[in-house]
Amino acid sequence: MANPLETVEYVHRVWPADPGQLSLIRHQMLSWLEPLGMAPDRNHDVVLAVGEAVENVVQHAYPDGGGDVELTLWTESGALNIEITDHGLWQEPVVPARGAAAALSGRGIRMMQHTVETVLVHYDARGSRVLLRVALPNAQREPVEA
């Protein structure tokens, strides 16, 4: 098997933006991550971050249902990049003023930031994109010039 740091791997898949698809997406993510040689805990962190991004698509982009969520993964320069894309319109979900749902609302992006190295979020009239970047094991770090 080729070293994933020496080759560029690419995957693109589209799912319905439906809560029932979340477990399938998480399962597929694990199978895509396995050949990259990350520790099981690290794989779990990445799947958790992707799951949060997909849940945000379901809640914010398509609150009335319908639409798709696209996942694109690629490796480059010792890192895994994951882009989660929708073509909906960003809408704040209706959340109860009190209770567990209210307490958890709005924490998905912060959780992603704690589980992967980079989280970029962009949304406009065309939809939204979340880019996650994760260092791969044994990555050769380039020295940073001062």
Side-chain angles (χ1 to χ4, degrees):
M1 176 193 297
N3 181 344
L5 303 178
E6 295 172 358
T7 62
V8 174
E9 301 292 332
Y10 178 87
V11 174
H12 177 82
R13 175 111 187 250
V14 180
W15 281 274
D18 180 281
Q21 296 292 308
L22 292 172
S23 66
L24 296 172
I25 293 170
R26 289 181 182 116
H27 180 73
Q28 184 66 64
M29 280 297 307
L30 279 174
S31 71
W32 287 335
L33 294 173
E34 189 173 321
L36 298 177
M38 294 189 293
D41 287 349
R42 191 67 181 133
N43 285 347
H44 174 75
D45 287 345
V46 173
V47 170
L48 187 61
V50 169
E52 284 295 323
V54 172
E55 285 184 54
N56 282 346
V57 168
V58 172
Q59 291 177 0
H60 295 280
Y62 310 112
D64 297 325
D68 293 320
V69 59
E70 298 179 35
L71 267 67
T72 306
L73 292 78
W74 70 97
T75 58
E76 65 181 7
S77 304
L80 170 64
N81 299 286
I82 305 167
E83 185 177 56
I84 302 92
T85 306
D86 69 67
H87 302 286
L89 295 174
W90 183 270
Q91 301 175 32
E92 289 296 324
V94 177
V95 178
R98 295 178 178 221
L104 294 174
S105 179
R107 295 187 181 176
I109 293 173
R110 284 182 287 186
M111 189 280 308
M112 286 184 263
Q113 292 169 333
H114 288 290
T115 57
V116 299
E117 286 82 5
T118 303
V119 178
L120 301 172
V121 179
H122 176 79
Y123 58 94
D124 59 25
R126 297 173 294 166
S128 62
R129 289 186 314 226
V130 175
L131 178 64
L132 308 175
R133 188 165 170 95
V134 181
L136 290 174
N138 303 318
Q140 297 295 324
R141 304 250 188 237
E142 294 293 324
V144 177
E145 295 183 22

